[in-house]
Amino acid sequence: MRKLKIGVLISGSGSNLQALIDACDNPNFPAIITHVIANNADAYGITRAENARISSKIISHNDYQDRQSFDMAIDKSFRHMGVEFICYAGFMRIMTAYFIDRWQDRIINIHPSLLPKYKGLNTHQRAIDAGDKKHGCSVHYVRVKLDDGPIIMQAQVDILKDDTVAELATRVLVQEHILYPQALKFIAKKILDTL
Ligand code: GRF
């Protein structure tokens, strides 16, 4: 079975990466992770990739003089590994138009809010402060503007009375781990159908 070759970009714990790794373990899943890159040497997600025997690399933005040379290094590494599609999974770095344009409609991200609400950081706190009844997560295409691309899928959770940020974040994360593999499956199938 032809599978779409996925590169994953991470910055931290990589629990969403783990959800994708687990989904890709299913022989019928239409994608396979072929390369994981972290922009942060401490990212635990690198250990997750190693445990799954997936090729991985740390490319730290601190080692590059400017944004574009960092982006070029990431681009080169993914192309070298035959990556066809990129998933950001807790990746906390804004990439240049150079990179985004080279991967037009080939990068998706998971964001912990019901976009277009709460782009950027502290989404759970902001949803609680606003008195929202519903919160959740979104998988969307990546564009140059932060958290701005077309939405592919969303999952909702209720905000409960007296919810703390940590409690709410935990419930949203459970949904992220379900939603991200579903969205990737949907997109990968669609792309493979056009090849
Ligand atoms: C998740 O809420 C993700 O959406 C956000 O960072 C959190 C941790 O992600 N951007 P992970 O455990 O590194 O996947």
Side-chain angles (χ1 to χ4, degrees):
M1 179 189 169
R2 167 82 160 91
K3 291 181 179 235
L4 194 67
K5 297 189 190 72
I6 308 296
V8 183
L9 275 169
I10 58 167
S11 298
S13 111
S15 69
N16 278 294
L17 165 66
Q18 188 66 56
L20 296 178
I21 290 173
D22 295 346
C24 288
D25 262 352
N26 181 333
N28 294 319
F29 196 81
I32 179 172
I33 301 172
T34 54
H35 197 42
V36 174
I37 300 176
N39 70 320
N40 171 358
D42 304 331
Y44 178 67
I46 290 291
T47 305
R48 297 182 191 269
E50 285 169 359
N51 289 344
R53 293 171 209 273
I54 296 169
S55 121
S56 64
K57 196 168 176 178
I58 294 159
I59 300 182
S60 169
H61 53 271
N62 295 324
D63 295 339
Y64 293 83
Q65 273 189 342
D66 52 49
R67 284 188 172 270
Q68 185 155 328
S69 34
F70 167 75
D71 291 10
M72 285 169 84
I74 303 251
D75 178 66
K76 197 172 156 197
S77 186
F78 276 149
R79 285 181 199 276
H80 179 69
M81 296 303 294
V83 164
E84 298 170 295
F85 191 87
I86 296 171
C87 294
Y88 288 5
F91 180 56
M92 305 300 285
R93 175 99 186 156
I94 296 172
M95 301 296 272
T96 61
Y98 165 86
F99 184 83
I100 308 285
D101 290 350
R102 280 175 73 86
W103 292 90
Q104 175 68 30
D105 291 332
R106 294 278 172 145
I107 313 174
I108 58 175
N109 178 43
I110 186 148
H111 181 75
S113 79
L114 295 173
L115 289 171
K117 279 189 158 184
Y118 314 128
K119 297 173 182 179
L121 299 175
N122 304 321
T123 57
H124 310 301
Q125 183 71 63
R126 287 154 70 200
I128 290 173
D129 290 350
D132 291 355
K133 297 270 179 289
K134 301 272 183 194
H135 186 43
C137 50
S138 310
V139 175
H140 64 95
Y141 285 103
V142 172
R143 297 289 185 260
V144 174
K145 259 175 93 181
L146 182 68
D147 300 327
D148 200 55
I151 293 162
I152 299 160
M153 282 186 190
Q154 293 184 311
Q156 283 195 353
V157 304
D158 292 330
I159 299 183
L160 307 177
K161 195 171 161 292
D162 301 328
D163 246 347
T164 64
V165 168
E167 286 163 348
L168 182 57
T170 302
R171 289 207 310 285
V172 171
L173 198 57
V174 170
Q175 293 305 314
E176 290 184 46
H177 298 160
I178 299 168
L179 186 72
Y180 211 179
Q182 278 177 356
L184 178 59
K185 185 177 181 182
F186 171 74
I187 297 291
K189 272 189 177 167
K190 222 166 80 168
I191 294 175
L192 290 171
D193 280 348
T194 67
L195 296 181

